[in-house]
Amino acid sequence: MEPILTLRYSEWLVAAHLLKALPAKQGYSVFAPLSRQEKGVDLLLTRRHHGVTRTAALQIKYSRAYEKTRSDEPFQFGTFFRAFAVSERTDFVVLATLYPNVTGRGGGARSSWWLPLMLLFRRKEMVTLLSSLRTRSGKADRMFYFAFNPPNHIALTRGAPVHRDFSSFSLTTRLPILRRYVGPA
């Protein structure tokens, strides 16, 4: 039997975005571990510059996007994540989802065009977020939800007693952090 290597869609989605935003001609590469036992490391982003290779380990978490149906809801979509242990091996965590392109061609409600939303957190930022998750009554929460209006308004809606703005955590906005981490421009 011949071995077959597969990559989870969420990992492919993040890798494809990174490959487009951080081109090989600038020394960037994206690698996926061959062993599924590499807990906490789903992708490696590397940069080779002047004979030195720097690496960032990324942990990927994925949620499907749910369209909000209530008219009084301030956000159009929501994502649901369970609290998880952030591995000591990871440098960054990416939370990813796909949502329907409601501004695209056609009526939009049942569009076949999907757009990604990805949030990038440093390891320490994710650990802090997960340890701060609280219900409205102040008890520790095991779930957290991000709600958003495409493309830029993102808020933590479950896990904090009051909605917290996370719009500045989009992967596109935080690419400079990754660039600095893996080496000089």
Side-chain angles (χ1 to χ4, degrees):
M1 185 165 151
E2 192 153 328
I4 298 173
L5 175 66
T6 61
L7 190 63
R8 291 184 179 170
Y9 182 76
S10 57
E11 295 164 15
W12 175 87
L13 180 69
V14 173
H17 185 79
L18 290 174
L19 288 169
K20 188 175 182 180
L22 304 170
K25 66 183 176 186
Q26 294 177 8
Y28 295 101
S29 296
V30 177
F31 297 91
L34 292 176
S35 170
R36 293 307 319 157
Q37 275 113 28
E38 231 11 88
K39 297 294 181 199
V41 179
D42 296 316
L43 293 175
L44 296 173
L45 172 67
T46 67
R47 179 150 193 251
R48 184 132 180 100
H49 186 71
H50 296 301
V52 176
T53 302
R54 303 265 322 255
T55 303
L58 292 104
Q59 185 174 11
I60 315 297
K61 296 293 180 184
Y62 184 82
S63 169
R64 71 176 266 207
Y66 298 87
E67 192 166 4
K68 303 292 183 162
T69 55
R70 292 187 356 223
S71 61
D72 63 337
E73 185 68 42
F75 298 97
Q76 192 171 3
F77 298 101
T79 62
F80 305 143
F81 294 95
R82 291 192 195 296
F84 56 93
V86 180
S87 172
E88 289 288 331
R89 297 177 178 184
T90 195
D91 300 310
F92 294 91
V93 176
V94 178
L95 303 178
T97 190
L98 285 176
Y99 63 93
N101 180 9
V102 294
T103 60
R105 62 182 178 166
R110 296 203 176 259
S111 174
S112 62
W113 294 79
W114 295 84
L115 299 172
L117 176 74
M118 293 177 257
L119 303 175
L120 177 71
F121 294 85
R122 292 181 183 104
R123 182 188 181 286
K124 188 175 183 179
E125 291 170 334
M126 183 53 70
V127 168
T128 301
L129 172 66
L130 293 171
S131 66
S132 72
L133 296 177
R134 297 287 177 258
T135 62
R136 287 189 181 126
S137 65
K139 296 179 182 177
D141 205 345
R142 299 174 307 138
M143 301 285 291
F144 60 106
Y145 301 171
F146 283 99
F148 61 97
N149 290 324
N152 298 339
H153 189 208
I154 306 161
L156 179 69
T157 55
R158 177 176 172 172
V162 178
H163 293 185
R164 289 176 42 200
D165 185 25
F166 277 84
S167 302
S168 64
F169 282 79
S170 74
L171 179 59
T172 304
T173 303
R174 299 194 95 197
L175 276 174
I177 294 171
L178 273 177
R179 285 188 179 103
R180 280 192 303 274
Y181 192 85
V182 294

